[in-house]
Amino acid sequence: MSNCPLCRLLLSALENVNTIDSAEICILREGSAFKVRGGPRLLRICSNSGSSDTNYNDVQIGFPVLPEIASPIYFDLLRAWLRRCDESHECNGDGDGVEFERTLPSRLLYVGNSDPNILALHNTATQIEIERYVALSHCWGDLSKEVKEQFCSSTKNICSRQEGFSIEDLPRTFQDAIRVTRELSQQYLWIDSLCIL
């Protein structure tokens, strides 16, 4: 056992969770985790974001510690997670090879302009090439009338938002969502307050 690096790692993990009292211990692998039968998870294994081996689809892509938020390696990891989902998870269809019929919301925020400071609301009924979008879900809290008028689309400002407006007009949370959308190589983002009248 002392010659096997994996066995030494598992033994060390067992010592950390105080489960070496038994003379016989059964260690099971469940997806990315190694567990003691009937006991705690000992450790997780993960593959790097560049791994394309489909024999290990149940092994999580990742790192022992997540990279710094918004770093290039962080976005590489997010893209790898999405690619794995697209290629191997049944959430993209019903499991029988038949794709779900996708319904788009009425409006989406276009973030793919050549000028990164300019955004525009697009009516999805006239934009037939849209296949994917990112959604931001967030809690608004109690907003004043002035804040709602500034950050929410309405019949008063919908035309100007469709013509184009500045990213600087939006709160930081929205700006961060726009950055993530762009880093994921997507051109459309749904934010309830901007896309719903």
Side-chain angles (χ1 to χ4, degrees):
M1 179 149 129
S2 62
N3 293 332
C4 173
L6 179 59
C7 292
R8 285 196 309 269
L9 182 63
L10 289 169
L11 181 59
S12 175
L14 284 166
E15 290 170 349
N16 287 336
V17 293
N18 298 318
T19 55
I20 304 185
D21 299 337
S22 171
E24 186 174 294
I25 296 171
C26 180
I27 298 175
L28 307 170
R29 178 175 168 244
E30 293 179 2
S32 292
F34 284 98
K35 302 177 54 164
V36 173
R37 178 180 283 154
R41 181 173 72 184
L42 298 174
L43 56 94
R44 268 183 350 136
I45 56 172
C46 50
S47 64
N48 65 34
S49 60
S51 175
S52 60
D53 191 338
T54 56
N55 293 322
Y56 300 104
N57 280 339
D58 61 340
V59 175
Q60 181 176 330
I61 298 171
F63 299 95
V65 175
L66 283 177
E68 181 182 340
I69 292 177
S71 66
I73 191 94
Y74 180 84
F75 287 116
D76 285 344
L77 179 60
L78 293 181
R79 285 187 290 272
W81 284 341
L82 289 174
R83 189 171 45 255
R84 171 74 62 92
C85 179
D86 288 344
E87 294 170 357
S88 64
H89 292 171
E90 292 183 7
C91 58
N92 289 313
D94 66 3
D96 296 327
V98 178
E99 296 234 355
F100 291 118
E101 183 178 331
R102 289 176 168 80
T103 304
L104 292 173
S106 300
R107 279 170 290 283
L108 289 169
L109 184 63
Y110 179 66
V111 301
N113 196 309
S114 58
D115 180 346
N117 293 317
I118 301 298
L119 310 168
L121 278 181
H122 282 189
N123 182 334
T124 59
T126 61
Q127 303 289 324
I128 58 172
E129 77 280 356
I130 299 171
E131 292 183 18
R132 298 175 64 132
Y133 64 94
V134 174
L136 170 66
S137 178
H138 62 103
C139 180
W140 271 98
D142 190 21
L143 300 177
S144 68
K145 182 180 176 184
E146 293 81 25
V147 171
K148 284 181 185 177
E149 287 176 359
Q150 182 181 3
F151 298 131
C152 297
S153 293
S154 66
T155 54
K156 294 178 185 176
N157 65 13
I158 190 71
C159 289
S160 64
R161 293 228 164 128
Q162 289 174 328
E163 291 170 7
F165 62 101
S166 173
I167 191 172
E168 299 300 323
D169 295 342
L170 299 176
R172 183 69 189 183
T173 301
F174 293 7
Q175 293 178 28
D176 290 343
I178 290 163
R179 177 172 183 209
V180 169
T181 301
R182 289 172 171 163
E183 289 284 350
L184 295 177
S185 302
Q186 300 301 309
Q187 295 188 330
Y188 290 95
L189 171 64
W190 182 87
I191 301 176
D192 56 0
S193 60
L194 294 175
C195 299
I196 298 174
L197 293 185

